[in-house]
Amino acid sequence: MAKTKLIEKIGYGFGDMSSSTFWKVFSYYLPIFYSNIFGLSLIDAGVLVLVTRIWDAVSDPMMGIIADRTNTKWGKYRPYLLWIAPLFSICGILLFTTPDWNYGAKLCWAYVTYIMMMTVYTGINVPYGAMLGVMTDDTNEKTVFSSFRMFFAYGGSFIALFLWEPLTNMFGGYKSPDGWFWGMVCIASACFVMFILCFLLTKEHLKTTSNVSVGSDFKSLLSNKPWWLLIGAALCSNLFNTVRGATVAYFFLDIIGPDVSLSFFGIMFLFYSGLFLGIGEVSNMAGVALCVPIANKLGKKSTFILVNAALVVFSVAFFFVPCTPDGFWVMLILQVVISIFTGIMSPLIWSMYADVSDYAELKYHTASTGLIFSSASMAQKFGGAIGGAAVLWLLSGFGYETDAAALAAGATQPESALMVLRWLMSFIPAAVAAFAIIVVWFYPLTTKRVHAINDELRKYRDIE
């Protein structure tokens, strides 16, 4: 059995602290950046998000295949953290750059920079995810690594989301292109450092070799039933998070309002979207801490089903909360509870992908860890693509107003747009969680079966 150190788990956590920080800013703030800051129409912004994220998703298996066939003194997957980290940060800065061009040229710039960013994200995040399959051969230890990963990820996301609006205000204002640009310069610089730390502090302990063709790898993947089911479950999980997250900035702007304050033991504080999202990230961290003991006791499949059942209930409850001072506290409490459950979900899914990778290695005799983990990233991005585009298109379809001049002249959002915002925070994500339960119900890799697979694999694996 591969022995791992605490410092490796911390180092592995730094990797997703970096990538998740970028991902959350993209998922939660990029839609409103494109529509309200950059100046794209809701329809064009929705098409942009969908097209670029789909390209990003389908490129993931290509990167997985490349990484599976990479061999260096640092391992298969780890070198990409060092090679791509600088490009990762540069592309993030370009993405939040607003050139002073005409509409058509700006739209082209948005496509080019978004596609570049997502391609580079694939290049570093797919190998990073695949590292989990070669750092340990113990299924419970994989859950621990996944928990460290997600704990650090939510920690970085909390800092980025909580500070995003203050950062933009510091550099020119939340409604200023300069504010968004310099805010991203700060975030991108920190993310570069975290990926380098991940590279320096981790090690690949398992030596795996792919002895079959690319075509055989794909053929075995497509016939892998647990993989198909987990892809569906992961897509639902990311769709749930993206729909809620991408709606929050609009929800606070048009339903909560910009000047709402809450009192906590006599201390007044502003109730704004960054606070709401940031508290969600801290609550996610609490969920991550609960994942290992709960999954070890109930099993990964049962835990997944019970968590999604809770998400259905609490998401529906959000719809009925009134916009009053007491109601705002209830919204905050529901955000905490929902985020704890989604925090349990995240490391669980990544750990289940590692189990699917072991299943594939035993059944098909192919070390396609990178390909399988790239599919996890692919599901994440499809969920983000569908969720982000759906939010923008639904707002457009229900008459949401983005014209700055009209709003400055006193125009208000139609009641239909306000209603769809409430649905996007409640009934729509609840329906997605309900569908995830149906999908995972048929997932065949129980705890007993996973342990049997690992026992067989130890007979011929090369372990350091």
Side-chain angles (χ1 to χ4, degrees):
M1 185 178 296
K3 301 296 182 181
T4 57
K5 302 176 182 178
L6 175 62
I7 192 66
E8 293 180 75
K9 297 179 178 71
I10 293 172
Y12 190 62
F14 277 126
D16 212 23
M17 193 174 194
S18 179
S19 62
S20 183
T21 294
F22 262 39
W23 184 261
K24 290 297 175 68
V25 174
F26 297 163
S27 296
Y28 297 168
Y29 283 106
L30 197 58
I32 200 168
F33 168 75
Y34 278 138
S35 66
N36 290 29
I37 309 296
F38 193 84
L40 298 183
S41 71
L42 287 169
I43 295 295
D44 285 343
V47 173
L48 168 64
V49 169
L50 185 65
V51 169
T52 52
R53 292 279 183 91
I54 287 177
W55 151 249
D56 182 38
V58 299
S59 67
D60 281 359
M62 303 177 204
M63 189 64 218
I65 290 169
I66 293 170
D68 280 335
R69 287 157 178 79
T70 298
N71 290 289
T72 74
K73 63 181 180 180
W74 297 311
K76 284 179 175 291
Y77 311 111
R78 184 167 155 256
Y80 289 96
L81 307 181
L82 177 66
W83 296 339
I84 300 181
L87 294 175
F88 184 79
S89 297
I90 291 169
C91 289
I93 294 169
L94 293 176
L95 184 65
F96 281 86
T97 301
T98 305
D100 187 17
W101 298 343
N102 63 46
Y103 187 88
K106 287 174 68 176
L107 183 60
C108 290
W109 171 264
Y111 270 96
V112 170
T113 54
Y114 203 176
I115 289 173
M116 285 173 52
M117 181 66 248
M118 290 295 97
T119 301
V120 171
Y121 186 93
T122 293
I124 200 167
N125 206 54
V126 167
Y128 167 76
M131 283 173 60
L132 180 60
V134 294
M135 294 183 74
T136 180
D137 61 337
D138 182 87
T139 183
N140 291 331
E141 190 78 347
K142 287 171 184 174
T143 306
V144 174
F145 265 98
S146 293
S147 295
F148 268 83
R149 169 185 182 169
M150 300 315 304
F151 188 85
F152 274 73
Y154 289 131
S157 299
F158 163 73
I159 295 171
L161 295 173
F162 187 77
L163 293 180
W164 183 250
E165 291 180 42
L167 272 176
T168 58
N169 287 327
M170 184 186 304
F171 292 111
Y174 182 65
K175 297 183 179 180
S176 162
D178 285 345
W180 287 68
F181 171 81
W182 288 108
M184 181 48 66
V185 169
C186 296
I187 297 294
S189 301
C191 288
F192 170 76
V193 173
M194 288 185 284
F195 262 129
I196 297 302
L197 287 173
C198 182
F199 170 79
L200 293 173
L201 298 176
T202 55
K203 180 180 179 181
E204 296 184 16
H205 291 278
L206 307 183
K207 305 297 182 182
T208 61
T209 304
S210 184
N211 297 315
V212 300
S213 66
V214 173
S216 296
D217 270 354
F218 269 111
K219 183 178 179 181
S220 63
L221 187 69
L222 296 176
S223 60
N224 188 329
K225 178 183 175 182
W227 175 80
W228 278 108
L229 292 168
L230 196 54
I231 280 287
L235 192 153
C236 288
S237 176
N238 287 291
L239 183 58
F240 179 96
N241 291 327
T242 301
V243 167
R244 289 188 82 251
T247 303
V248 167
Y250 294 102
F251 187 83
F252 270 77
L253 181 64
D254 298 299
I255 292 182
I256 303 296
D259 301 314
V260 173
S261 294
L262 297 178
S263 175
F264 186 70
F265 290 106
I267 300 173
M268 300 297 294
F269 61 91
L270 187 66
F271 188 45
Y272 67 104
S273 62
L275 174 69
F276 187 82
L277 291 168
I279 286 177
E281 298 301 314
V282 173
S283 303
N284 284 149
M285 295 168 71
V288 169
L290 293 171
C291 178
V292 173
I294 293 175
N296 286 347
K297 183 175 181 61
L298 301 179
K300 298 176 186 179
K301 177 178 176 178
S302 297
T303 301
F304 191 101
I305 291 172
L306 291 173
V307 164
N308 275 278
L311 290 176
V312 172
V313 173
F314 290 111
S315 295
V316 170
F318 196 95
F319 179 83
F320 299 99
V321 180
C323 287
T324 62
D326 288 341
F328 296 144
W329 277 109
V330 174
M331 288 181 186
L332 207 53
I333 292 169
L334 285 174
Q335 171 71 347
V336 168
V337 174
I338 290 171
S339 298
I340 288 173
F341 282 111
T342 57
I344 295 171
M345 184 88 62
S346 297
L348 193 65
I349 289 177
W350 288 107
S351 178
M352 291 165 78
Y353 269 111
D355 293 338
V356 169
S357 176
D358 289 342
Y359 168 85
E361 185 175 352
L362 181 64
K363 183 175 177 64
Y364 303 107
H365 306 290
T366 174
S368 54
T369 308
L371 181 58
I372 288 173
F373 273 87
S374 71
S375 69
S377 179
M378 180 180 69
Q380 180 185 42
K381 291 166 184 176
F382 268 124
I386 297 167
V391 168
L392 292 166
W393 290 342
L394 279 169
L395 290 176
S396 177
F398 283 85
Y400 186 86
E401 178 63 68
T402 61
D403 185 79
L407 292 171
T412 59
Q413 300 296 346
E415 190 61 35
S416 59
L418 299 179
M419 179 58 69
V420 81
L421 282 173
R422 295 182 69 89
W423 275 67
L424 284 164
M425 290 294 293
S426 56
F427 289 119
I428 293 175
V432 173
F435 185 73
I437 294 173
I438 297 172
V439 172
V440 175
W441 191 268
F442 299 98
Y443 180 73
L445 297 186
T446 61
T447 302
K448 181 178 179 181
R449 190 169 182 188
V450 168
H451 283 307
I453 290 169
N454 288 334
D455 289 341
E456 287 296 316
L457 288 175
R458 288 193 188 103
K459 294 177 181 178
Y460 65 86
R461 270 179 166 171
D462 182 11
I463 301 175
E464 291 186 356

